[in-house]
Amino acid sequence: YGQNHKNAADYRTDAINGNAIAQFYLGQSYFRGWGIKPDTIQAVYWWRKSAEQGNPAAQNNMGAAYSNGWGNLTQNKETAIYWYKKAAEKNGAFPQKNLGRIYEDKENYEEAFIWYKKAAEHNNSPESLSLFTEKRVRSHKELPRRNGMDKTSS
């Protein structure tokens, strides 16, 4: 699977038989139009099947789908957070960054800092943490300080 097979037909049988990775890639095929007409409703359908089996990439995509209101979903930030957290708890850097962004948008800066920091620890977008910190300093917002996460604690 993966980038060597960018065609929905490559995944369909395994996806129907319950293979979570095939379900994820079939969703990707529908979302990106890999050998099939793009269809966000079908993409979300297959991502959900995969996500419910614990696939963190699919869980991240479900977070994005709810965050953006893709397919037949109504935009729902709380449900997006649910799916992003499922993936982030498996040490996924992309969903951690996505959680940072969504919490920042909700002006929950303490949670945003925590998730941006976790993503940066994976060397995934350390610039997101830096930009976030710079924006907080420029706006004179207090940065979260707990559990030794600030540079001044000993």
Side-chain angles (χ1 to χ4, degrees), residues 62-70 73-84 102 106:
M62 287 302 298
Y66 274 104
S67 186
N68 295 292
W70 292 340
L73 300 177
T74 301
Q75 190 176 42
N76 184 321
K77 299 296 184 183
E78 295 308 312
T79 305
I81 288 169
Y82 167 82
W83 284 112
Y84 283 143
I102 206 166
K106 291 170 62 81

Side-chain angles (χ1 to χ4, degrees), residues 95-109:
Q96 290 169 347
K97 178 181 162 187
N98 290 336
L99 277 168
R101 185 177 310 123
I102 206 166
Y103 279 119
E104 183 179 3
D105 290 346
K106 291 170 62 81
E107 298 185 5
N108 184 336
Y109 302 119

Side-chain angles (χ1 to χ4, degrees), residues 1 8-9 15 26 36 39 43 51-52 61 65 74 76 89 92 99-100 108 110 117 119-120 133 135-137:
Y1 292 126
L26 184 56
I36 198 164
D39 182 338
E52 288 171 348
N61 284 9
T74 301
N76 184 321
E89 289 165 354
L99 277 168
N108 184 336
E110 186 171 330
K117 186 173 187 309
T133 302
K135 284 192 287 187
R136 297 287 59 79
V137 169

Side-chain angles (χ1 to χ4, degrees), residues 39-42 44-45 48 65-66 69-75:
D39 182 338
T40 55
I41 292 172
Q42 282 295 306
V44 168
Y45 172 83
R48 180 183 309 277
Y66 274 104
W70 292 340
N72 58 353
L73 300 177
T74 301
Q75 190 176 42

Side-chain angles (χ1 to χ4, degrees), residues 10 14 34-35 41 114 124 127 135 139 143 146 149 154:
D10 293 340
D14 288 343
W34 291 341
I41 292 172
I114 290 166
N124 179 286
E127 69 277 2
K135 284 192 287 187
S139 67
L143 288 173
R146 67 177 193 165
M149 292 192 334
S154 40

